[in-house]
């Protein structure tokens, strides 16, 4: 992919202190982009100042909330690209506090797009959507034609957020695309607890030499290493073919959580897990087996997940071996 397209371009990353956003911001700096990061740093979410340690002098960091229309109105102006990654990501939180999820994942998305329409109509937007929109799959692998039937409030609000992007592309010509991410993992993810992903807490516990829990264990999943996700975000932004389109991302393999636990123990060269049944509040919003068909983005852009799961886990463990205290 020709990354020169980002050289000297003005790029805004919402959620840029978070897991995927910070990895993306660093990659964009390497491509010669002029990067502005906006993040609210709500402590319960994945934002962490350490994620951009060493890069602060090379980018503009704006600690503000995408729910603040005036900040967003100012921030989108003069930008060539917007990677729209700020979001409330906890499925359980969305059930316990549905209105906050609504404000961030739905209403704020509409305000961001309105700001683009009025103040930055030539911007290209890439939205981080989620496989959660599909709910419990009717068939596997899940392609983009699968019915959308979210099992939690987060899935419904992300669905609205995604479709506002497509609507603004189609009706107003604000070029926008969405990627439906599956479980994404790698350096800079939240490992303090299981709020962002179960893999985060598994990694913390294994490094602390404590057993981690796997609930049930037979569920199938796919995993995207964060560098591959970042590549997909960049490729989508760089192409005009993607305007108004939605693509699944996926992983190099499908694996049960039990096998994933074993692989992690093997890669870490030690550790143990306990198989437990699902806590009832989690069971109610569980999606069963999921893995995605990502042929559409492969055929359109040539994207493939390049990092094998085992290697990605190794790189992730290596990162947290060095940096765990910064994430606790
Ligand atoms: N990580 C995954 O497996 C995964 C899977 C599917 C979709 N996604 C989507 O990708 C995006 C990035 O996820 P992530 O895993 O990097 O999570 P993350 O929590 O690490 O990053 C999100 C960032 O957004 C910030 N944020 C939240 N609300 C905000 C607000 N109102 N204003 C400004 N900033 C705000 C947070 O502080 C955080 O830094 C999210 O939109 C998420 O829904 C992620």
């Amino acid at each position: 992919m020709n990354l020169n397209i980002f050289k000297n371009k003005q790029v805004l990353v919402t959620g840029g202190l978070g897991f995927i956003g910070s990895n993306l911001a660093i990659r964009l700096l390497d491509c010669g982009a002029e990067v502005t990061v906006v993040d609210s740093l709500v402590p319960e979410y994945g934002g962490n100042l350490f994620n951009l340690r060493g890069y602060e002098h090379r980018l503009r960091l704006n600690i503000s909330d995408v729910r603040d229309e005036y900040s967003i109105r100012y921030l989108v102006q003069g930008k060539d690209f917007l990677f729209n990654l700020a979001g409330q990501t906890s499925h359980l939180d969305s059930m316990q506090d549905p209105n906050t999820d609504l404000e961030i994942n739905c209403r704020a998305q509409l305000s961001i797009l309105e700001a683009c329409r009025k103040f930055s109509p030539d911007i290209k937007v890439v939205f981080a959507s989620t496989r959660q929109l599909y709910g419990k799959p009717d068939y596997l692998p899940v392609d983009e034609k699968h019915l959308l039937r979210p099992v939690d409030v987060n899935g419904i609000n992300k669905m609205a957020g995604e479709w506002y992007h497509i609507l603004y592309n189609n009706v107003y010509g604000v070029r926008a695309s969405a990627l439906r991410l599956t479980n994404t993992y790698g350096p800079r993810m939240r490992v303090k607890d299981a709020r962002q992903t179960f893999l985060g807490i598994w990694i913390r516990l294994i490094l602390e030499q404590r057993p981690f829990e796997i609930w049930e264990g037979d569920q199938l999943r796919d995993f995207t290493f964060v560098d591959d996700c970042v590549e997909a975000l960049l490729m989508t932004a760089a192409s005009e073919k993607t305007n108004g389109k939605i693509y699944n991302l996926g992983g190099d393999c499908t694996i049960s959580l039990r096998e994933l636990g074993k692989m992690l123990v093997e890669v870490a060269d030690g550790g143990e897990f306990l198989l437990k049944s699902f806590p009832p509040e989690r069971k109610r919003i569980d999606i069963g087996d999921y893995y995605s068909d990502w042929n559409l983005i492969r055929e359109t852009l040539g994207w493939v997940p390049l990092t094998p799961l085992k290697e990605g886990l190794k790189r992730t463990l290596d990162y947290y071996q060095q940096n765990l205290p910064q994430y606790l």
Side-chain angles (χ1 to χ4, degrees):
M1 182 201 156
N2 179 9
L3 293 170
N4 272 339
I5 187 164
F6 297 105
K7 198 170 167 52
N8 301 325
K9 289 290 189 317
Q10 296 290 329
V11 183
L12 180 64
V13 182
T14 71
L17 281 169
F19 162 42
I20 301 170
S22 57
N23 281 286
L24 172 69
I26 292 166
R27 187 78 205 285
L28 280 162
L29 289 174
D30 292 342
C31 297
E34 309 265 332
V35 180
T36 304
V37 155
V38 52
D39 202 295
S40 59
L41 273 183
V42 175
E44 290 78 21
Y45 302 165
N48 187 335
L49 279 171
F50 184 76
N51 280 340
L52 289 176
R53 174 86 49 97
Y55 295 91
E56 304 89 337
H57 60 289
R58 292 175 59 193
L59 46 72
R60 263 181 230 112
L61 186 52
N62 190 305
I63 305 299
S64 58
D65 198 299
V66 294
R67 287 171 286 187
D68 178 350
E69 289 178 29
Y70 296 102
S71 296
I72 288 300
R73 177 187 293 201
Y74 164 75
L75 286 165
V76 298
Q77 291 181 33
K79 300 297 186 298
D80 301 297
F81 295 98
L82 162 59
F83 291 93
N84 194 8
L85 272 60
Q88 192 301 108
T89 63
S90 162
H91 303 296
L92 203 53
D93 281 14
S94 81
M95 302 307 286
Q96 287 160 352
D97 178 10
N99 284 312
T100 299
D101 195 90
L102 177 77
E103 291 298 322
I104 298 175
N105 288 332
C106 182
R107 185 190 286 275
Q109 304 308 313
L110 186 57
S111 310
I112 291 169
L113 288 158
E114 269 292 279
C116 292
R117 177 174 78 86
K118 291 184 184 149
F119 303 105
S120 196
D122 295 328
I123 200 166
K124 165 93 188 229
V125 189
V126 181
F127 176 66
S129 185
T130 166
R131 61 129 163 87
Q132 196 69 6
L133 271 57
Y134 297 117
K136 262 191 204 343
D138 290 330
Y139 58 85
L140 293 164
V142 175
D143 59 17
E144 294 83 353
K145 295 194 180 78
H146 190 287
L147 182 69
L148 301 183
R149 192 177 41 210
V151 293
D152 55 32
V153 168
N154 179 263
I156 293 189
N157 293 328
K158 288 293 282 191
M159 180 163 77
E162 177 189 275
W163 279 91
Y164 284 139
H165 284 78
I166 303 305
L167 179 90
Y168 271 64
N169 178 90
N170 296 347
V171 176
Y172 298 119
V174 176
R175 293 168 303 148
S177 327
L179 296 182
R180 289 185 185 148
L181 277 43
T182 186
N183 293 71
T184 309
Y185 71 102
R188 301 184 175 81
M189 67 187 184
R190 184 178 174 104
V191 296
K192 192 175 185 165
D193 48 35
R195 296 178 69 88
Q196 187 178 71
T197 158
F198 57 86
L199 243 182
I201 189 70
W202 290 10
I203 283 173
R204 172 182 179 172
L205 292 173
I206 215 163
L207 289 175
E208 292 178 341
Q209 294 174 345
R210 293 194 281 158
F212 60 94
E213 287 183 8
I214 301 183
W215 299 333
E216 284 175 13
D218 293 327
Q219 314 88 305
L220 296 175
R221 288 284 185 280
D222 54 359
F223 295 86
T224 310
F225 187 64
V226 67
D227 289 3
D228 290 324
C229 175
V230 164
E231 196 66 13
L233 288 160
L234 295 174
M235 287 170 114
T236 304
S239 167
E240 290 299 311
K241 281 191 267 187
T242 60
N243 297 343
K245 299 287 195 305
I246 297 167
Y247 303 96
N248 284 346
L249 297 190
D252 72 315
C253 65
T254 302
I255 188 167
S256 73
L257 294 195
R258 189 199 315 256
E259 290 306 314
L260 179 70
K262 283 187 198 160
M263 190 185 274
L264 190 62
V265 168
E266 184 199 322
V267 173
D269 206 12
E272 59 171 325
F273 58 83
L274 309 168
L275 286 170
K276 293 263 176 93
S277 39
F278 256 111
E281 73 280 13
R282 294 270 185 179
K283 183 70 192 164
R284 280 197 286 271
I285 58 171
D286 179 50
I287 58 164
D289 293 339
Y290 176 92
Y291 51 95
S292 71
D293 178 332
W294 41 269
N295 274 310
L296 189 59
I297 190 165
R298 183 177 61 78
E299 283 158 14
T300 312
L301 298 177
W303 178 85
V304 286
L306 291 174
T307 315
L309 184 56
K310 213 182 237 185
E311 185 192 321
L313 291 176
K314 166 113 186 53
R315 285 164 66 180
T316 309
L317 276 165
D318 286 350
Y319 180 82
Y320 287 100
Q321 248 148 11
Q322 303 289 321
N323 300 304
L324 186 63
Q326 307 291 344
Y327 289 86
L328 301 182

